[in-house]
DNA sequence: CTACCCCTTCGAGTGCACTCGAGGTCAAGG
DNA sequence: CCTTGACCTCGAGTGCACTCGAAGGGGTAG
């Protein structure tokens, strides 16, 4: 059976709030969700698009560009639409590659500075800056992670 | 001779606007800049701190955390201040490592999707997604690059 | 039939990070 | 001396991305 969720369930599943889901639909960041008895019913495809949109937002694509992407999707599988979507995503990928470099550099600088500080007052046994991933503790107030970097 | 710049020059040098420099000072994101005849005179150390702050902002540290960092700096080289600064930076570094992973994953997914699109209508000779860095073309309207991701 | 609950729309409010304009000061050049 | 230009402060305005409350509706349980 195809999943079919209420807005509250979809909110749970996507990590967004019901408010935000309605807002995203209103501004065309996601396609209009089909209604039953006036109420939104979220299906698999809706959920997948939302997930993708959230990921794009999370990596800093502007609402405007995402709106454009979703608009192109609605046009169907025409050569034009497909080419433009590819271009849009390719541009964002290029942007992300740039970020990756900046990020790496910033991490290196921070590690240097931290090492300096620790060298002066090493109360804690320096936690060797390796490549494993501690569960990102900055940012993220309860219930609303947003904006990757 | 130590550099000493007007606010306009400092703006040029940091890539911020004069408005933003005053704003950052006002909210304590940077230390108060010394005045001569009422006008701000930016020296090397000011510029260096601003550069660091811009980098932190660029990688998504909140204004609040940066304010805290700068406040700690102003307390001088006490054990307390140094330890707390180290912790603050270490937390941000951990956060960035998390981002790095997300970013890498998103790039991989985008490349997949792009390859799919290109496979359907390959008008352009697929630009092999390698690790070199094309000059990040998304975002960045003239004069005001902001917010990394 | 009445509660109850979750849903609906609409419009207003919030917080962040700038961004700008008005009105004033000051130092250098003509 | 007077103008010019860059700077100053203060307060208000902007754009983004939510976030919320009020008022009302539909469907199921008792």
């Amino acid at each position: 059976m195809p999943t079919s969720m209420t807005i509250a369930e979809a909110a749970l599943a996507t990590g967004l709030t019901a408010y935000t889901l309605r807002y995203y639909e209103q501004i065309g960041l996601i396609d209009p969700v089909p209604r039953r008895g006036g109420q939104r019913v979220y299906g698999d495809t809706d959920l997948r698009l939302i997930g993708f949109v959230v990921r794009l937002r999370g990596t800093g694509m502007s609402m405007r560009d995402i709106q454009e992407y979703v608009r192109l999707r609605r046009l169907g599988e025409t050569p034009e639409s497909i080419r433009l979507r590819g271009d849009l995503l390719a541009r964002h990928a290029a942007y992300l590659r740039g970020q990756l470099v900046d990020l790496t550099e910033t991490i290196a600088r921070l590690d240097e500075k931290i090492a300096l500080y620790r060298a002066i007052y090493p109360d804690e046994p320096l936690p060797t800056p390796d490549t494993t991933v501690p569960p990102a503790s900055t940012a993220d107030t309860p219930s609303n992670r947003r904006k990757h970097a």
Side-chain angles (χ1 to χ4, degrees), chain A:
Chain A
M1 64 172 265
T3 31
S4 93
M5 299 182 169
T6 66
I7 196 167
E9 290 161 348
L12 246 262
T14 58
L16 301 174
T17 66
Y19 291 134
T20 304
L21 282 173
R22 291 193 202 98
Y23 171 68
Y24 277 9
E25 186 179 333
Q26 184 192 323
I27 64 168
L29 207 67
I30 58 179
D31 289 330
V33 175
R35 322 290 166 115
R36 190 156 49 227
Q39 303 196 187
R40 290 171 181 79
V41 179
Y42 291 81
D44 281 338
T45 46
D46 300 303
L47 271 282
R48 261 197 305 279
L49 176 56
I50 294 168
F52 185 56
V53 163
V54 166
R55 190 164 273 277
L56 290 180
R57 279 291 309 123
T59 54
M61 187 182 276
S62 71
M63 305 291 260
R64 230 181 274 282
D65 280 357
I66 300 177
Q67 279 165 350
E68 176 66 6
Y69 175 80
V70 172
R71 193 185 64 78
L72 289 170
R73 252 180 53 111
R74 270 199 302 272
L75 294 184
E77 304 306 296
T78 69
E80 190 65 359
S81 168
I82 288 176
R83 195 174 49 72
L84 290 175
R85 270 184 270 167
D87 290 352
L88 200 53
L89 295 189
R91 246 180 298 128
H92 191 58
Y95 166 68
L96 294 189
R97 279 182 231 281
Q99 296 226 134
L100 206 64
V101 170
D102 285 10
L103 220 50
T104 307
E105 199 185 314
T106 299
I107 290 174
R109 288 184 187 227
L110 284 182
D111 283 345
E112 266 177 53
K113 238 183 224 287
I114 293 164
L116 268 174
Y117 288 156
R118 296 278 195 260
I120 307 180
Y121 292 103
D123 4 19
E124 314 200 19
L126 337 180
T128 36
D130 58 12
T131 336
T132 59
V133 183
S137 63
T138 306
D140 286 41
T141 28
S143 96
N144 194 14
R145 124 230 21 59
R146 160 189 12 190
K147 180 149 304 153
H148 247 283

